């Protein structure tokens, strides 16, 4: 459904996205994971047309929707197909919950006030909020409630693709689980394709059909949650296990050349020169063990 | 030799900093111009959501009345006191009313009201837009295909353009009251002499020009506040910087445009 081809972006001298290729299938939930500063938010902003690439393109149903030097107004047509939940929900502070939800409906449709009220009620119900919330102001809501209202606002226009930017990053574990359930239930009820940008690997395991991992502006993994668990890439294992330093075993030097350059990592991080090497001599073993103890 | 090379390096660095500052300034001026153009080109859409403009007229205009009133009363009093001091021994006091009237109607009333209005409103607009930007509300508007300029800037600009002349008329009225009270209480001039002076060279054209130019000042206040709000970067510090720049730039632009209008009209 959505295809990202050779996407490149730089800000000044800093290359943020470096040849990103990714395909998102209809009806699937794809989680884009990565460390802070890895480029996942920049990728997210490309998909929703808030920034445009320096190279490559984005296709939606085989139609190019984003390319270099594109005028923002050209993206307008595609924008109607996206629903977005921002980190922190980005509710309009000066409007009540009901007005937040009604605003896009009032401006883009010819629905009557009664019809708009009905849609608002349904959307709030879908995210597990009662209709009485309509009169509350965003400042009166908790983080979880704000996320739900943001979600309700995103679905009022019935989007085909739903994007979530760090939906659970500021929430407690119980609320995180509720939001994850909500993402799954919305997919069931509305059949939307979903893209979730997150660094919460627990949420990704729970909701994702597919996980794409981005590191230093490149996609270093693209597969199912089961496949990412089995990955032998040290960096991926470090990320999914939440380890502070890289010290996961590798079987063979250069076996991840396509996705992970071990030599470069060693040059950049001399302290990490303690990967378990094949045919390691006996004399090196104590040093490795000492290193491990140090890690712990 | 080293000394010379260091000198050349320093000159180069200074040149680069100046070029970078100049480039940034010119880019900011360009974006200001684009924002002003976009605002003016969308002004016809104002009538689709008149309720937003009306609520801003209340928030930005009516709520400024207490502040403007206090300043206007003292403005009248100070003008009289200064005029008496400057005229004593040189100019007959029957011209006191003329001097006070001309000062308040042509310059002090419109400019001081606009400055006070800028202090309250340009900062408010910059802070509001800046915090909307940092909390991604502007992005949310864009992805919901709700044009931020149409829904945020145009109604605020219209409210400022309508309300600043109204506030100016109110401020000038109160300044005259303040002036009369001061004349009666502190100056050795009869009220009759003072009022005769007021009427002596009173020209309705001056009032018209004075009030009309505040429409330009109103647009300057709104667009400057919005511009610096859109330019805000980072968190609270960025919003704070935006509000400071908004009020300083508004004040400078009000005086610049006051001069330009004076050259063109008078």
């Amino acid at each position: 459904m959505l295809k990202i081809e050779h996407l490149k972006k730089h800000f000044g001298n800093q290359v943020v996205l470096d040849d990103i290729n990714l395909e998102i299938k209809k009806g699937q939930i794809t989680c884009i994971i990565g460390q802070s500063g890895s480029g996942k938010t920049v990728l997210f902003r490309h998909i929703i047309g808030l920034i445009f690439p320096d190279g490559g393109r984005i296709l939606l149903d085989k139609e190019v929707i984003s390319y270099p030097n594109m005028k923002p107004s050209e993206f307008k047509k595609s924008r109607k197909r996206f629903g977005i939940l921002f980190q922190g929900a980005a509710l309009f502070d000066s409007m009540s919950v009901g007005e937040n939800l009604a605003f896009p409906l009032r401006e883009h449709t010819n629905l009557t006030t009664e019809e708009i009220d009905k849609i608002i009620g349904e959307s709030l119900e879908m995210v597990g909020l009662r209709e009485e919330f309509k009169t509350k102001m965003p400042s009166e809501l908790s983080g979880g409630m704000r996320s739900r209202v943001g979600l309700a606002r995103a679905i009022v226009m019935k989007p085909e693709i739903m994007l979530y930017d760090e939906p659970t990053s500021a929430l407690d574990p119980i609320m995180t689980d509720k939001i994850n359930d909500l993402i799954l239930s919305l997919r069931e009820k509305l059949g939307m394709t979903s893209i979730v940008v997150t660094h919460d690997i627990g949420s990704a395991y729970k909701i994702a059909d597919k996980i794409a991992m981005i590191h230093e502006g490149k996609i270093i993994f693209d597969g199912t949650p089961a496949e990412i668990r089995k990955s032998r890439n040290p960096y991926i294992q470090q990320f999914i296990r939440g380890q502070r330093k890289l010290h996961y075993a590798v079987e063979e030097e250069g076996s991840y050349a396509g996705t992970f350059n071990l030599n470069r990592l060693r040059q950049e991080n001399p302290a990490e020169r303690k990967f378990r090497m094949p045919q390691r001599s006996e004399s090196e073993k104590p040093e490795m063990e000492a290193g491990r103890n140090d890690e712990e | 030799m080293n000394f010379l090379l260091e000198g050349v390096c320093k000159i180069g660095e200074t040149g680069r900093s100046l070029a970078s500052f100049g480039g940034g300034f010119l880019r900011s001026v360009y974006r200001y111009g684009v924002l002003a153009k976009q605002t003016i080109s969308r002004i016809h859409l104002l009538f689709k959501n008149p309720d937003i403009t009306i609520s801003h007229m209340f928030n930005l205009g009516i709520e400024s009345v207490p502040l403007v009133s206090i300043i206007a009363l003292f403005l009248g009093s100070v003008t009289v006191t200064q005029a008496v001091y400057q005229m004593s021994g040189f100019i007959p006091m029957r011209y006191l009313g003329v001097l006070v009237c001309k000062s308040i109607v042509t310059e002090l009333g419109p400019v001081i009201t606009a400055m006070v209005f800028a202090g309250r409103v340009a900062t408010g607009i910059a802070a509001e837009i800046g915090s909307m930007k940092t909390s991604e509300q502007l992005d949310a508007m864009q992805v919901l295909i709700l044009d931020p300029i149409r829904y945020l800037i145009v109604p605020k600009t219209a409210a400022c353009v309508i309300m600043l002349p109204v506030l100016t008329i109110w401020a000038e009225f109160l300044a005259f009251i303040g002036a009369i009270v001061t004349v009666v209480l502190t100056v050795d001039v009869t009220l009759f002499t003072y009022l005769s002076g007021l009427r002596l060279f009173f020209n309705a054209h001056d009032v018209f020009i004075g009030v009309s130019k505040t429409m330009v000042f109103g647009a300057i206040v709104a667009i400057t506040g919005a511009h610096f709000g859109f330019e805000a970067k980072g968190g609270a510090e960025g919003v704070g910087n935006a509000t400071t720049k908004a009020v300083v730039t508004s004040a400078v632009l009000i005086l610049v445009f006051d001069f330009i209008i004076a050259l063109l009209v008078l």
Side-chain angles (χ1 to χ4, degrees):
Chain A
M1 184 175 200
L2 189 83
K3 203 170 179 190
I4 297 163
E5 290 183 345
H6 306 292
L7 205 70
K8 290 186 175 85
K9 184 74 184 176
H10 71 276
F11 295 115
N13 296 328
Q14 192 192 1
V15 177
V16 185
L17 297 180
D18 186 9
D19 201 26
I20 296 277
N21 290 287
L22 188 65
E23 192 169 356
I24 285 141
K25 294 200 173 112
K26 197 174 171 127
Q28 276 194 343
I29 297 180
T30 304
C31 282
I32 298 171
I33 60 168
Q35 260 187 297
S36 303
S38 58
K40 56 187 192 304
T41 300
V42 176
L43 178 59
F44 171 84
R45 293 174 77 83
H46 272 91
I47 297 173
I48 58 177
L50 288 177
I51 44 179
F52 296 97
D54 296 329
R57 58 187 190 165
I58 300 175
L59 295 100
L60 180 60
D61 287 337
K62 294 177 184 168
E63 190 188 334
V64 180
I65 57 162
S66 183
Y67 55 89
N69 304 320
M70 187 178 173
K71 282 184 191 163
S73 57
E74 291 176 55
F75 198 87
K76 224 173 176 178
K77 201 176 76 184
S78 320
R79 210 165 250 156
K80 285 184 179 165
R81 300 175 70 180
F82 291 103
I84 291 115
L85 173 63
F86 284 93
Q87 191 176 5
L91 300 177
F92 306 132
D93 291 331
S94 56
M95 296 179 185
S96 68
V97 167
E99 285 167 342
N100 261 282
L101 268 68
F103 197 11
L105 287 169
R106 231 176 22 224
E107 298 304 322
H108 299 310
T109 64
N110 296 319
L111 297 171
T112 60
T113 315
E114 291 77 32
E115 287 168 325
I116 289 175
D117 276 350
K118 196 178 160 220
I119 294 173
I120 291 172
E122 285 169 2
S123 299
L124 285 175
E125 198 189 319
M126 226 177 269
V127 298
L129 292 175
R130 291 187 307 277
E131 220 174 316
E132 296 87 82
F133 275 89
K134 271 199 313 194
T135 52
K136 287 201 182 289
M137 295 303 282
S139 55
E140 298 173 65
L141 303 175
S142 67
M145 282 178 189
R146 287 172 74 93
S147 293
R148 286 173 187 223
V149 175
L151 206 46
R153 186 179 66 184
I155 60 173
V156 287
M157 296 295 288
K158 306 226 177 332
E160 293 169 52
I161 304 175
M162 187 69 206
L163 286 107
Y164 303 84
D165 183 18
E166 308 271 11
T168 58
S169 65
L171 304 178
D172 62 78
I174 296 168
M175 192 48 74
T176 296
D177 207 45
K178 281 184 184 168
I179 296 290
N180 288 336
D181 285 342
L182 214 51
I183 293 172
L184 288 169
S185 79
L186 285 179
R187 196 260 300 261
E188 293 297 315
K189 285 175 191 164
L190 304 172
M192 293 182 302
T193 306
S194 306
I195 302 168
V196 184
V197 173
T198 184
H199 54 241
D200 178 2
I201 192 71
S203 296
Y205 282 154
K206 179 165 182 180
I207 60 175
D209 296 310
K210 193 173 97 160
I211 294 177
M213 183 160 184
I214 188 164
H215 178 58
E216 291 180 351
K218 285 179 187 292
I219 298 280
I220 59 165
F221 177 86
D222 183 6
T224 64
E227 283 167 351
I228 201 169
R229 279 198 184 96
K230 286 182 202 157
S231 169
R232 301 288 288 169
N233 182 321
Y235 176 74
I236 292 173
Q237 285 300 328
Q238 184 200 12
F239 185 86
I240 64 176
R241 289 166 179 231
Q243 289 164 329
R244 192 168 59 86
K245 287 186 178 178
L246 280 170
H247 56 90
Y248 194 71
V250 292
E251 284 174 350
E252 195 182 326
E253 175 100 33
S255 62
Y256 307 108
T259 53
F260 187 80
N261 190 331
L262 200 59
N263 287 330
R264 202 189 69 194
L265 188 94
R266 281 189 184 146
Q267 282 162 13
E268 287 172 4
N269 301 294
E272 306 298 342
R273 287 178 188 167
K274 41 188 172 286
F275 294 99
R276 187 186 295 159
M277 303 304 295
Q279 294 109 34
R280 189 182 288 273
S281 66
E282 287 297 314
S283 60
E284 280 177 302
K285 274 187 179 172
E287 190 192 336
M288 184 193 75
E289 293 301 326
R292 277 190 153 193
N293 290 336
D294 188 31
E295 291 294 323
E296 284 157 16
Chain B
M1 193 64 187
N2 277 348
F3 173 74
L4 270 176
L5 285 173
E6 272 176 23
V8 171
C9 282
K10 276 189 180 161
I11 291 168
E13 269 175 30
T14 314
R16 198 178 67 171
S17 315
L18 280 173
S20 160
F21 174 78
F25 175 74
L26 288 177
R27 269 197 297 276
S28 184
V29 170
Y30 170 74
R31 284 196 290 266
Y32 188 101
V34 169
L35 177 65
K37 188 183 147 213
Q38 288 174 334
T39 306
I40 292 163
S41 68
R42 285 165 174 79
I43 211 87
H44 62 283
L45 298 167
L46 193 68
F47 303 103
K48 290 193 174 179
N49 309 82
D51 49 322
I52 305 178
T53 310
I54 291 165
S55 85
H56 285 316
M57 281 166 70
F58 183 82
N59 293 337
L60 306 178
I62 305 297
E63 288 185 4
S64 299
V65 167
L67 181 65
V68 167
S69 302
I70 293 167
I71 288 179
L73 280 170
F74 283 100
L75 175 70
S77 304
V78 169
T79 311
V80 168
T81 314
Q82 285 287 348
V84 169
Y85 173 70
Q86 298 295 337
M87 289 164 75
S88 316
F90 299 103
I91 304 167
M93 282 299 161
R94 65 193 166 99
Y95 294 114
L96 176 65
V98 178
L99 189 60
V100 171
C101 173
K102 292 282 176 192
S103 319
I104 289 175
V105 165
T106 56
E107 273 305 313
L108 291 176
V111 173
I112 299 289
T113 310
M115 292 277 195
V116 171
F117 188 73
R120 186 179 175 272
V121 172
T123 48
I125 294 175
E128 184 187 341
I129 308 283
S131 61
M132 283 184 83
K133 188 185 176 194
T134 53
S135 61
E136 294 186 309
Q137 290 178 52
L138 293 183
D139 289 341
M141 285 192 89
Q142 250 181 298
V143 298
L144 290 165
I145 325 173
L146 301 165
D147 179 11
I149 295 173
R150 176 186 160 185
Y151 293 101
L152 295 175
I153 314 307
V154 171
K156 284 180 170 56
T157 307
C160 289
V161 169
I162 296 165
M163 291 312 289
L164 189 51
V166 176
L167 280 172
T168 305
I169 293 167
W170 173 247
E172 287 178 5
F173 170 72
L174 285 182
F176 282 122
I177 301 282
I180 288 170
V181 171
T182 314
V183 167
V184 171
L185 295 179
T186 65
V187 184
D188 191 18
V189 177
T190 63
L191 188 58
F192 177 77
T193 314
Y194 173 73
L195 291 177
S196 309
L198 268 184
R199 281 197 295 264
L200 195 60
F201 293 108
F202 179 80
N203 190 347
H205 182 253
D206 290 343
V207 181
F208 177 74
I209 298 293
V211 172
S212 302
K213 68 184 176 185
T214 59
M215 294 169 84
V216 178
F217 300 161
I220 288 171
V221 168
I223 294 170
T224 308
H227 169 72
F228 286 104
F230 280 127
E231 300 266 304
K233 280 180 189 146
E237 193 189 350
V239 177
N241 285 338
T243 56
T244 310
K245 283 179 187 169
V247 73
V248 170
T249 311
S250 295
V252 171
L253 286 178
I254 285 169
L255 290 175
V256 169
F257 275 82
D258 188 34
F259 172 63
I260 293 169
I261 292 167
L263 278 183
L264 293 175
V265 178
L266 300 180

